[in-house]
Amino acid sequence: MAQNKEVVKRVEWRINNVGDGSSEISGHGCYMWEMTTRLAMKLYIFVKKAWEIGVNDPRKFIHCLKVGIALTAVSLFYYMKPLYDGVGGNAMWAVMTVVVVFEHTAGATIYKTINRICGTSLAGFLAFGVHWVASKAGDEFEPVIVGVSIFLLASAATFSRFIPTIKARFDYGAMIFILTFSVISISGYRIEKLMDMAQQRISTILIGTCLCIIVSLTICPIWAGQELHVLVTGNLDKLANSLQGCVAQYFNHSESSAEVNNEESNKKLIGYKCVLSSKATEDVMANLARWEPAHGRFNFRHPWKQYLKIAASMRSCASCIDALIGCINSENKAPDHIKKNMSNISLKVGANCASLIRELAITMKNMTKSSKVDILVMEMNNSAQELQDLLKSYPSLVNPSSSPNNAQDTETEVASKIEISLMEIIQVVTIASLLIEIVARVKCIGKCVEELSDLAKFQPAMCDKSKHHTVDNKINPDQDKDEEAINNKLQIV
Amino acid sequence: MAQNKEVVKRVEWRINNVGDGSSEISGHGCYMWEMTTRLAMKLYIFVKKAWEIGVNDPRKFIHCLKVGIALTAVSLFYYMKPLYDGVGGNAMWAVMTVVVVFEHTAGATIYKTINRICGTSLAGFLAFGVHWVASKAGDEFEPVIVGVSIFLLASAATFSRFIPTIKARFDYGAMIFILTFSVISISGYRIEKLMDMAQQRISTILIGTCLCIIVSLTICPIWAGQELHVLVTGNLDKLANSLQGCVAQYFNHSESSAEVNNEESNKKLIGYKCVLSSKATEDVMANLARWEPAHGRFNFRHPWKQYLKIAASMRSCASCIDALIGCINSENKAPDHIKKNMSNISLKVGANCASLIRELAITMKNMTKSSKVDILVMEMNNSAQELQDLLKSYPSLVNPSSSPNNAQDTETEVASKIEISLMEIIQVVTIASLLIEIVARVKCIGKCVEELSDLAKFQPAMCDKSKHHTVDNKINPDQDKDEEAINNKLQIV
């Protein structure tokens, strides 16, 4: 960047020098030169940003190379005569299949492969049926029968794409069905060897899809299920950081001074926004993950839908955190001495919630039932109860009608009575109340994770505590970076 | 349904009768029969549900018919010899284009059309360049040059799809670019008349896309912009209903008794959830809307992005409502006499917020600057201030250390002192505090709508108040139904 600025400066210097004592024409030339330089700069910045996207998640580069490899491999069918003749010169279909079917995640590639093969086969059979009927009906009626059947089947297949269950699983297949049916049934009118054409189309599609599947699953495969898993567990950590962070920031406001960590802590604070905005990605990933075979620690029928439930409960918790942050930034600030009174226990509730959420994240990451979850839930409940008790122990409210009487109290009594207006404590009370609500919603996340551990048959954790801790430590630093990268990726995708 | 149950009963009766005194084989036959009936029933229910989807939004049926019409029209190219010969027997490309390009909204169709034409043209030119270079290099190097260029360009184009700005506008174009480039440059190895092939491909794509655009824009067009507009204004109404509904339900709980309206009111209460979950749809619609020409009351460069800002501020308000509902359902119930004290003013705040939101919705629907918005904002602020004042006027809290002294008070004093524990009012205080926060967030929605009215140059409203009211009344009932239908649709899409 510094280099760029220097270039621009030099250009400006030249422009100024030239512009001083020269005609308008050379000024015009300078303008053009300046424009070109600016354009080049913009292009440079664009390329640099694009490069950073890839550097942040090198798997993107790998994906691009995979597409290149698959396409170059399928091109061989054009260059090798035996291969080319083998598919009757229809190698183009194989190339098209590779371009259209090859997707970023293995799940998406498999989904498109199966849909393409099923859609093409089904449409092929139907088209032959229609062609047979039409050919029996005579030359006059043939176009009519074929036209009407295209109209009806295309309309019906288009409508099926509006039905949620079909949309989720066979949307692409329905489109391919329309495509193949139209092409084959109208080709029947002109092409004699329809059977050959259909057989070649099927075989080229098989070649293309097989190549895609092989390249997609063998070279650094990106599994939609794994992405979903990492996204949800990463979001759990973000939620924990946000929750603990905002409680800590509010109650330790005067104490924490270091502005060095400010940017980082602010970044942590708004982590809950990722939770709120990742619904669409989660839905897509869960939808694709069910097409994937067993991979890594996930079985074929891993309960991916449960991840969506966990995510939904996380979002409900995140919206409470959003309200909490709103209250923290509201106008009715509580005075410090009141904050101090609630500080310890509130911080404890925040920390306990965060520990539980983190433990749930670890449970999911390790795919083992954690023995600590029950203890952490109990601790969280206890601290919430303590917060309630503290609120209960708070002074009673005295009806204002008695206030004049208070004025008659002796001086010693006045000294012992410290009156607090409701306005002063409203913020703290609201925050306490929201914290109690958050505790309830965190419990809900815990239940969802427990359901997942039952559905996916998580193994009980090792009893050896020290071992357990090393596992935690070993996994976190590795995955944190990974998650960061994946989340960056997902936001862009 | 009643008819179905009767069929099932009859079948069961038959099964029982047959099963009584017959052999295992006939039992097996019955089992098959029963299975078939069940399958038929399931199919019937599926078809019925699908039919209902269409009946709820007849535009879906229209869309299906449009696809049928477009495909049948493009099939004419196969049946009419002059047309078929005109495109050199490559009519199949036109059919494919129609199937792939024709989308539900006009914006999506235009987006795909432009992307397809640009991607194909650009790839065509590049492929010719590469082919020319390769043909000069001699027979040995030709496959190598073509292969390397495919590998590099396909990888680069695939990578460009990861860059957010390109992803949003030219994702489909990048795919078509890879497709066309690969097909043309490798075809050059075998096909002599490459120029003819490219020209035919371009002309068939033009035919297909023109047909799509004509059918899509002339027969009941569905505009993405209009959808977005209706979705956002509908969500504003839903938000207002939810907010007013949940405040009213909490404070009028003992008074409202009619269970008849329960289902409807519950439906209204959870309207805010639609606001929270419609982000993905809004993003897609806003992205497509910018491709659309001026339509209805929207200009070509209507500020669609501002709708996303409005939606974001609505979501922030909705998450506060979510927290509010959480607090309403929490364990710390406030006693009725305390609720009664806050009831009037809280209901007023809720109602004022809802009126403002509804007025904002009307502003957007009519696309006129409303003169009432300022008054409504003022009223909302005033009621929020009243709520604050009420809280301020609340009795002071007396420090517990003084409690023993209170015991010495005379009986008259005790009578005038009604002590309220903090636990009793915590729920009401939290709700009041959240209401104040919601007021702040509703103001934020108001600002976003005002920005929209400036950007889109809304006309000032008529001064004649009575006229204004009739406009409101005229528009609401019509649009309500429409929105319902569109929202149903969007949830499915």
Side-chain angles (χ1 to χ4, degrees):
Chain A
M1 283 303 289
Q3 209 183 343
N4 278 316
K5 275 184 184 163
E6 204 158 294
V7 170
V8 169
K9 262 186 195 171
R10 238 182 293 157
V11 170
E12 274 172 5
W13 177 83
R14 258 193 240 174
I15 290 165
N16 289 337
N17 271 14
V18 173
D20 268 346
S22 59
S23 71
E24 252 186 28
I25 297 162
S26 84
H28 193 72
C30 281
Y31 178 74
M32 288 290 286
W33 170 245
E34 197 185 351
M35 282 288 285
T36 317
T37 323
R38 274 195 195 154
L39 213 77
M41 278 259 309
K42 268 191 183 170
L43 196 72
Y44 172 79
I45 291 167
F46 176 79
V47 170
K48 210 181 156 205
K49 267 188 191 166
W51 182 253
E52 274 164 13
I53 289 172
V55 170
N56 285 336
D57 182 11
R59 298 185 310 168
K60 283 191 186 119
F61 285 136
I62 295 172
H63 173 69
C64 298
L65 295 183
K66 280 161 74 179
V67 172
I69 290 169
L71 264 180
T72 317
V74 86
S75 307
L76 286 179
F77 276 80
Y78 266 87
Y79 297 123
M80 297 193 177
K81 203 159 163 47
L83 290 178
Y84 186 80
D85 292 341
V87 294
N90 279 314
M92 195 182 67
W93 289 107
V95 177
M96 281 184 65
T97 302
V98 170
V99 175
V100 177
V101 163
F102 207 102
E103 290 277 333
H104 189 232
T105 59
T109 307
I110 296 171
Y111 155 75
K112 281 202 157 179
T113 298
I114 294 177
N115 267 272
R116 197 173 174 93
I117 292 173
C118 292
T120 307
S121 314
L122 188 64
F125 278 114
L126 267 174
F128 271 109
V130 170
H131 179 68
W132 184 78
V133 170
S135 62
K136 296 271 164 197
D139 274 359
E140 270 178 41
F141 287 105
E142 193 178 337
V144 178
I145 291 175
V146 172
V148 169
S149 69
I150 287 178
F151 181 84
L152 290 180
L153 277 168
S155 299
T158 305
F159 185 74
S160 78
R161 295 172 74 186
F162 285 120
I163 301 166
T165 44
I166 291 183
K167 166 107 190 143
R169 279 169 218 184
F170 305 112
D171 189 55
Y172 184 67
M175 201 185 76
I176 291 297
F177 173 84
I178 304 174
L179 182 69
T180 309
F181 182 80
S182 316
V183 167
I184 292 188
S185 59
I186 55 182
S187 296
Y189 190 67
R190 299 257 172 217
I191 294 170
E192 291 303 304
K193 292 180 181 172
L194 196 59
M195 199 66 195
D196 285 354
M197 179 202 166
Q199 183 243 317
Q200 278 160 14
R201 183 167 152 80
I202 295 265
S203 62
T204 44
I205 284 181
L206 279 177
I207 291 165
T209 49
C210 287
L211 194 69
C212 283
I213 295 275
I214 291 167
V215 174
S216 175
L217 300 198
T218 51
I219 307 173
C220 302
I222 296 167
W223 301 101
Q226 174 74 15
E227 302 285 278
L228 177 65
H229 179 83
V230 172
L231 177 68
V232 171
T233 49
N235 276 351
L236 274 173
D237 283 332
K238 280 183 185 168
L239 196 67
N241 289 338
S242 278
L243 175 57
Q244 193 169 13
C246 73
V247 176
Q249 203 191 35
Y250 177 68
F251 284 105
N252 291 337
H253 196 263
S254 44
E255 292 164 39
S256 74
S257 55
E259 274 196 28
V260 186
N261 291 327
N262 230 6
E263 200 178 328
E264 199 183 344
S265 71
N266 278 341
K267 205 179 152 194
K268 272 192 177 179
L269 274 188
I270 55 164
Y272 75 95
K273 289 194 176 172
C274 287
V275 179
L276 284 175
S277 64
S278 52
K279 184 178 184 292
T281 314
E282 285 156 2
D283 287 348
V284 170
M285 289 297 157
N287 206 7
L288 295 178
R290 68 172 141 200
W291 294 93
E292 292 174 349
H295 58 277
R297 296 165 302 165
F298 308 109
N299 292 324
F300 172 54
R301 285 185 170 275
H302 194 72
W304 297 114
K305 276 202 169 175
Q306 189 63 26
Y307 282 80
L308 297 184
K309 278 190 194 168
I310 295 171
S313 63
M314 277 157 67
R315 272 195 298 282
S316 126
C317 187
S319 55
C320 233
I321 294 178
D322 189 49
L324 184 74
I325 288 177
C327 283
I328 286 175
N329 299 328
S330 73
E331 285 171 15
N332 298 315
K333 298 280 181 215
D336 277 349
H337 64 276
I338 289 171
K339 270 162 85 171
K340 213 164 196 173
N341 199 12
M342 303 273 281
S343 165
N344 275 341
I345 180 70
S346 299
L347 285 171
K348 199 171 157 192
V349 174
N352 281 345
C353 286
S355 319
L356 176 58
I357 298 174
R358 285 195 194 104
E359 185 62 29
L360 292 174
I362 290 170
T363 305
M364 286 178 71
K365 280 176 199 162
N366 293 354
M367 298 185 77
T368 48
K369 279 183 184 170
S370 165
S371 55
K372 285 201 285 181
V373 165
D374 290 336
I375 302 164
L376 287 170
V377 169
M378 214 165 63
E379 275 176 14
M380 185 179 74
N381 283 342
N382 287 347
S383 60
Q385 192 56 47
E386 276 176 53
L387 186 62
Q388 294 237 26
D389 291 344
L390 181 71
L391 289 172
K392 271 182 197 153
S393 77
Y394 249 68
S396 321
L397 294 165
V398 184
N399 198 292
S401 61
S402 66
S403 297
N405 295 334
N406 286 351
Q408 298 161 4
D409 290 339
T410 59
E411 266 184 35
T412 49
E413 265 188 276
V414 171
S416 68
K417 275 189 192 178
I418 303 157
E419 293 199 358
I420 313 160
S421 108
L422 184 60
M423 275 317 276
E424 280 183 316
I425 63 155
I426 183 170
Q427 192 187 29
V428 177
V429 168
T430 308
I431 286 171
S433 181
L434 283 174
L435 275 177
I436 291 166
E437 177 65 25
I438 286 172
V439 165
R441 293 187 181 194
V442 170
K443 259 189 251 174
C444 191
I445 303 178
K447 264 185 202 165
C448 289
V449 174
E450 205 190 316
E451 277 172 35
L452 176 71
S453 71
D454 290 338
L455 286 171
K457 289 166 193 150
F458 285 3
Q459 296 299 314
M462 302 288 210
C463 292
D464 186 1
K465 267 210 162 184
S466 62
K467 202 168 177 181
H468 187 73
H469 269 285
T470 53
V471 169
D472 297 354
N473 290 337
K474 205 178 69 191
I475 282 201
N476 278 339
D478 287 356
Q479 282 205 332
D480 265 1
K481 207 181 152 192
D482 208 28
E483 281 154 27
E484 195 76 20
I486 284 168
N487 281 324
N488 282 337
K489 189 197 64 56
L490 289 176
Q491 276 157 24
I492 292 152
V493 169
Chain B
M1 284 303 287
Q3 208 182 345
N4 279 316
K5 276 185 185 161
E6 203 160 294
V7 170
V8 169
K9 262 187 193 169
R10 237 182 294 157
V11 171
E12 276 172 3
W13 177 83
R14 257 194 242 174
I15 291 164
N16 289 337
N17 271 14
V18 172
D20 269 345
S22 57
S23 70
E24 249 185 35
I25 297 162
S26 85
H28 194 70
C30 281
Y31 178 73
M32 290 291 284
W33 170 246
E34 197 184 353
M35 283 288 284
T36 317
T37 322
R38 274 195 195 153
L39 214 78
M41 277 260 308
K42 268 191 184 171
L43 196 73
Y44 172 79
I45 291 166
F46 177 78
V47 170
K48 209 180 157 205
K49 267 188 191 167
W51 181 254
E52 274 163 14
I53 290 172
V55 169
N56 285 336
D57 182 9
R59 299 185 310 168
K60 285 192 184 117
F61 285 136
I62 295 172
H63 172 69
C64 298
L65 296 183
K66 279 161 75 179
V67 173
I69 290 169
L71 264 179
T72 317
V74 87
S75 306
L76 285 180
F77 275 79
Y78 265 87
Y79 297 124
M80 296 193 177
K81 206 164 162 43
L83 290 178
Y84 185 81
D85 292 342
V87 293
N90 278 313
M92 195 182 66
W93 289 106
V95 177
M96 280 183 66
T97 303
V98 169
V99 175
V100 177
V101 163
F102 207 102
E103 288 278 333
H104 188 232
T105 59
T109 307
I110 296 171
Y111 155 75
K112 282 202 157 180
T113 297
I114 294 176
N115 267 273
R116 196 173 176 91
I117 292 173
C118 292
T120 306
S121 314
L122 187 65
F125 278 113
L126 268 175
F128 272 109
V130 169
H131 180 66
W132 183 79
V133 170
S135 62
K136 297 271 165 200
D139 274 358
E140 270 179 39
F141 288 105
E142 194 178 335
V144 178
I145 291 175
V146 172
V148 169
S149 69
I150 287 178
F151 181 84
L152 290 180
L153 278 168
S155 298
T158 305
F159 185 73
S160 78
R161 296 173 74 186
F162 286 119
I163 301 165
T165 44
I166 290 183
K167 165 106 190 144
R169 278 169 218 183
F170 305 111
D171 189 55
Y172 184 66
M175 200 185 78
I176 291 297
F177 173 85
I178 304 174
L179 182 69
T180 308
F181 182 80
S182 315
V183 167
I184 293 188
S185 59
I186 54 180
S187 297
Y189 189 67
R190 298 256 172 219
I191 295 169
E192 291 304 305
K193 291 180 180 172
L194 195 61
M195 199 68 194
D196 285 355
M197 180 202 167
Q199 184 242 317
Q200 278 161 12
R201 182 165 152 82
I202 295 263
S203 62
T204 44
I205 282 180
L206 279 177
I207 290 165
T209 50
C210 286
L211 194 69
C212 283
I213 295 274
I214 290 167
V215 174
S216 175
L217 300 198
T218 52
I219 307 173
C220 302
I222 296 167
W223 301 100
Q226 174 74 15
E227 302 284 278
L228 177 66
H229 179 83
V230 172
L231 177 67
V232 171
T233 50
N235 275 351
L236 274 174
D237 283 332
K238 280 184 186 169
L239 196 67
N241 288 338
S242 278
L243 175 57
Q244 193 169 13
C246 73
V247 176
Q249 204 192 35
Y250 177 67
F251 284 105
N252 291 337
H253 197 264
S254 44
E255 292 165 40
S256 74
S257 56
E259 274 196 28
V260 186
N261 291 326
N262 229 7
E263 200 177 328
E264 199 182 346
S265 71
N266 277 341
K267 206 178 152 193
K268 272 192 175 178
L269 274 188
I270 56 164
Y272 75 95
K273 289 194 177 173
C274 287
V275 179
L276 284 174
S277 65
S278 53
K279 184 177 184 292
T281 314
E282 285 156 2
D283 287 347
V284 170
M285 289 295 158
N287 206 6
L288 295 178
R290 67 173 142 200
W291 294 93
E292 291 175 349
H295 58 276
R297 296 164 302 165
F298 308 108
N299 293 324
F300 172 53
R301 284 183 171 277
H302 195 72
W304 298 117
K305 276 201 169 175
Q306 189 63 26
Y307 282 79
L308 297 184
K309 278 189 193 167
I310 295 171
S313 63
M314 276 158 66
R315 272 195 298 281
S316 127
C317 187
S319 57
C320 234
I321 294 178
D322 189 48
L324 184 74
I325 288 177
C327 283
I328 286 175
N329 298 328
S330 73
E331 285 171 14
N332 297 316
K333 299 281 181 214
D336 278 348
H337 65 276
I338 289 171
K339 270 162 84 171
K340 212 164 197 173
N341 199 14
M342 303 273 281
S343 165
N344 275 341
I345 179 71
S346 298
L347 285 170
K348 199 173 157 190
V349 174
N352 281 345
C353 285
S355 316
L356 175 59
I357 298 175
R358 285 195 194 104
E359 185 63 28
L360 293 173
I362 289 170
T363 306
M364 286 179 70
K365 280 176 201 162
N366 292 355
M367 297 185 78
T368 47
K369 279 181 184 170
S370 165
S371 54
K372 284 201 285 180
V373 166
D374 290 335
I375 303 166
L376 287 171
V377 169
M378 214 166 64
E379 276 177 12
M380 186 180 72
N381 283 343
N382 287 347
S383 59
Q385 192 56 47
E386 277 177 51
L387 186 61
Q388 294 236 27
D389 291 344
L390 181 72
L391 289 172
K392 271 181 197 154
S393 77
Y394 250 66
S396 321
L397 294 165
V398 184
N399 197 293
S401 60
S402 65
S403 296
N405 295 335
N406 285 349
Q408 297 162 5
D409 290 340
T410 59
E411 265 186 36
T412 49
E413 265 186 276
V414 172
S416 67
K417 275 188 194 179
I418 301 156
E419 295 200 355
I420 311 160
S421 109
L422 184 60
M423 276 315 278
E424 280 183 317
I425 63 156
I426 184 169
Q427 191 187 28
V428 176
V429 167
T430 308
I431 286 172
S433 183
L434 284 174
L435 276 176
I436 291 167
E437 178 64 25
I438 286 173
V439 165
R441 294 188 179 193
V442 171
K443 259 189 249 175
C444 191
I445 303 179
K447 265 185 201 164
C448 289
V449 173
E450 205 190 317
E451 278 172 35
L452 175 71
S453 71
D454 290 338
L455 287 171
K457 289 167 193 149
F458 285 2
Q459 296 299 313
M462 300 291 207
C463 293
D464 187 0
K465 268 211 160 183
S466 62
K467 202 168 178 182
H468 188 73
H469 269 285
T470 53
V471 169
D472 297 354
N473 290 338
K474 205 177 69 192
I475 282 199
N476 277 340
D478 286 357
Q479 282 203 332
D480 266 2
K481 205 181 153 193
D482 208 28
E483 280 153 28
E484 194 76 18
I486 284 168
N487 281 324
N488 280 337
K489 189 196 66 53
L490 289 176
Q491 276 157 24
I492 292 151
V493 169

